[in-house]
Amino acid sequence: MTPTTSRRAGALLALSLSTALALTACADHSVPAADPTSTALPSNDGVDGGGAAEVASPASALVIADDDGALTLLDLETDEREELDGDGVATGTGRFLHRTRESGGETVVEVVDSGRWTVPHGDHSHSFRGEARVVGTIQGEGPALATVGDQATAIRLGGEVVLLDHETLDLDDVTRLDLPGTGPVIPFAAHLISAAGSTVDVLDAAGEPIGVSAPCTQPRDADITRVGAVIACAEGAVLVTREIGGQLAAESIPYPAGSQPPAQLVGRADRPDLAGIAGDHGALLLDTRARSWTLLATDAPLVAAAAIGDDDSRTVVVAADGTARVLGHDGVEISRTEPLLAASASDPAARDRIAVLVDARHAYVADPASGAVHEIDHRDGAVTRTFSDLEPRYVQLVG
């Protein structure tokens, strides 16, 4: 660790402790606080909007990136559209998006703030709305992989990981750590969860292992659920949770025997369930509360899946015939649309761009062949709106 990194980690520790004290009056005391001796990443719960207005309910919007990386923010309440210039390959989670491009032999990652987000806070949530903006760029060498955590974003650039604090969004004062490997790193509970080599390791904010790990080969995806952080691996999922006293624990949740590992797990924000495609056999549903997988068998291969994470443990999927379906916790089909996405599902180039995103009431399904996103009421399978004249190379739900 360099002296610069050490100073920044110390500053982050001071910020973490002072903010945690300031927010004690609003804290949910049923959730154990992190151990201050191992805390160096920001540990506040984000109830300060940093200049954004707090709103009564989530300011939901879709952010759609086209083939060039140009972004369209589509307000789901008003249907109004806002364009954000720029280019690059877009990825992201929740509030933030990241556009990556090569420039002069360097990798350039542009950080985009949608200005819309919701912060879970015990038995309630805080929703904010500000201006969508380009925060700035981060440069480095090697392939870029950005993973959004609870209080910071980790951007891997080859063997270096850059940590961007969500509270300050100061790209001139980021923390840079040397973390060999190519797997995802996700900030969680004032620590870093790193998938490198053959294990998932819990690190402190300076990048040092704390002795908590679990087996993991071929890490595929990383996400945060209501229960904890999840890394999808070849043999199952690794779940990292915060225990009483602030200590973290890691455990493996093996896939059902004979099932094919999903390439990606998708779920609704701040819910316990994630879902992914299980080869040609249907979908795999992960319940992080029960520490269990369920194989949801279907009569056709699937091209996309997302867990709603509601009390009925339902999952929204798109089948190879272009229908969007809602499945129950046991795989029983609850509803099915017409083959809305038949053209996209039958085109190999478009098929990989089909995406499903879910909120409390709707599923949003990207239909790249028709240049549209369909809004589906996942209570009854009705198509409530179709947003057209888009180029949905990548779609993200924010708010």
Side-chain angles (χ1 to χ4, degrees), residues 339-398:
L340 298 169
L341 296 99
S344 292
S346 61
D347 180 350
R351 186 186 306 131
D352 291 340
R353 304 181 189 180
I354 295 175
V356 179
L357 306 105
V358 291
D359 63 16
R361 181 169 177 177
H362 296 106
Y364 296 92
V365 183
D367 185 359
S370 65
V373 176
H374 306 289
E375 180 186 75
I376 299 171
D377 189 326
H378 51 60
R379 297 173 302 177
D380 56 14
V383 180
T384 50
R385 287 186 291 183
T386 293
F387 305 104
S388 56
D389 298 322
L390 298 167
E391 296 181 38
R393 170 81 182 194
Y394 169 82
V395 180
Q396 182 171 316
L397 180 63
V398 299

Side-chain angles (χ1 to χ4, degrees), residues 245-310:
Q247 296 83 5
L248 299 192
E251 57 189 298
S252 298
I253 308 174
Y255 298 121
S259 63
Q260 185 171 333
Q264 184 182 28
L265 295 173
V266 181
R268 179 174 143 210
D270 191 40
R271 303 306 301 160
D273 295 349
L274 297 169
I277 301 171
D280 293 333
H281 303 293
L284 276 173
L285 175 65
L286 173 62
D287 181 342
T288 57
R289 282 181 175 148
R291 272 65 164 175
S292 65
W293 293 94
T294 301
L295 177 62
L296 309 176
T298 54
D299 59 7
L302 303 180
V303 296
I308 299 174
D310 56 4

Side-chain angles (χ1 to χ4, degrees), residues 31-35 38 150 186-194 200-203 210 212-214 223-231 237-253 271-272 286-292:
V31 180
D35 181 0
S38 63
D150 52 358
I186 184 165
F188 172 70
H191 292 74
L192 300 173
I193 315 303
S194 173
V200 167
D201 298 296
V202 180
L203 316 176
I210 67 169
V212 176
S213 64
D223 204 347
I224 292 180
T225 71
R226 171 164 286 209
V227 175
V230 175
I231 305 286
V238 172
L239 174 65
V240 179
T241 55
R242 186 174 63 176
E243 298 187 324
I244 294 175
Q247 296 83 5
L248 299 192
E251 57 189 298
S252 298
I253 308 174
R271 303 306 301 160
L286 173 62
D287 181 342
T288 57
R289 282 181 175 148
R291 272 65 164 175
S292 65

Side-chain angles (χ1 to χ4, degrees), residues 184 195 216-222 231-236 255 261-265:
C216 173
T217 58
Q218 301 175 25
R220 300 159 183 266
D221 197 12
I231 305 286
C233 309
E235 57 273 88
Y255 298 121
Q264 184 182 28
L265 295 173

